[in-house]
Amino acid sequence: MLLWFVITYWIISVAIGLWVALRVHNTADYASAGHSMPLYVVTATVFATWFGSETVLGIPATFLKEGLHGVVADPFGSSLCLILVGLFFAIPLYRKKLLTIGDFYRLQYGRTVEVLVTLCIVISYLGWVAAQIKALGLVFNVVSDDMISKETGMLVGAATVMIYTLFGGMLSVAITDFIQMIIIMLGMVYIAWDLSGTAGGVGAVINHAAAAGKFNFWPEWQWGEVIGFFAAWITMMLGSIPQQDVFQRISSSNNEKTARNASVLGGSLYFLFAFIPMFLAYSATLIDPDLVRQYLDSDSQLILPKLILAHSPLFAQVMFFGALLSAIKSCASATLLAPSVTFAENIIRGFYKHMTDQQLLKVMRIVVLAFTGLVTFIAIRSEMSIFKMVESAYKITLVAAFVPLVFGLYWKRATPLGGLLSVTLGAGIWIICELLMPLAIIPPQLAGLMASLVGMIGGSLVASRKALKAA
């Protein structure tokens, strides 16, 4: 029964996405939903995009092992990212009416920086999208009781998500996200209510977690611990800001106030609801401690799904896996679309400047197809956990794209030379540190961020002095 529900739900959601795709007529519809989405839809798509497999499976598994200290990157860093976007980036970026975030780097710093940053952004999505595909395989494997292998589940899941993303773009993603946000919220709240009674009540779960030290958030006051904690926090908080999926939600809004408010509301909702899966996973330590011991060190991502299957009635299972599938699908579709659109616009179109709008739309769809194949291959081959795949995805945009974005918006003296040095020094130092000193006291991404800052300020000041002398 549960497997048939999953199949039915999957078919209906894909059908909705394809129906919405009939309204896509140009690249503005495909990449930005025609700049027409109201507050409640944009809020839903901000929330649903971030509430993905790592939120339901990865974060709870990490919380069980490390407590709040281990999940500083997500949800603490990731939700703050969305709030910061709303407060400081949404309105100035919306006013520019750009198709992609890569367009900003071209206008501010030139073609070379546009290409370099776009490549960094596209690369950053590989781990994130692969994590969603990996989670789809896990869900199909669990609900079919091993009749569907994880690899087959990945292939089926990736292919079906690709179908409506390929044809409908941001318009299909936005509408399906709105529906899926409702399912996520209802499903998470219901299953939390259902399992809390089995665990002895909300208070019993919270008290047990507190006694076990799971609410210890801050690091020990040692230099290495503090720096590592800080680096983990800012990796997602700042590294997620210069991302195409975030930009698409801003630009899909019907006005600049909607762009700002939806980002803040979506981030706030994400922060609140991200704690429900953590609560559910920790409930397992009271409901079925043998289950936790069995999977904690082997595959802790399975603890929550196995708990639901073993200790919940069919309706609760339907609600949970409906919410889980909604979370994964919304995140997967958005993260398939974002890098594909920016690669087509900021890399391919640069070589074919006379490309028509319809030709660019066709190229975007071809890139979606190719990117789906690539991330599915990575998902099948990767041994990393879902949480680590997502957490690692933002290091490259932190070191290469964040500083040029901030200074381009808020520092009038930022120059093309400063932007180029910021990208190359940031990415270069990060790569060198990852290869030679991955466990140094100063984490590689933090060293890269500092180098990016030095490159921006130094390069811009040198360029400004040369311009003054020439004048």
Side-chain angles (χ1 to χ4, degrees), residues 104-115:
F104 169 83
Y105 294 95
R106 182 185 67 251
L107 295 175
Q108 183 69 35
Y109 302 110
R111 172 66 177 165
T112 301
V113 173
E114 173 196 17
V115 171

Side-chain angles (χ1 to χ4, degrees), residues 123-142:
I123 291 170
S124 74
Y125 278 99
L126 295 176
W128 193 7
V129 188
Q132 312 312 314
I133 303 302
K134 197 178 187 74
L136 287 173
L138 186 148
V139 172
F140 281 115
N141 176 256
V142 169

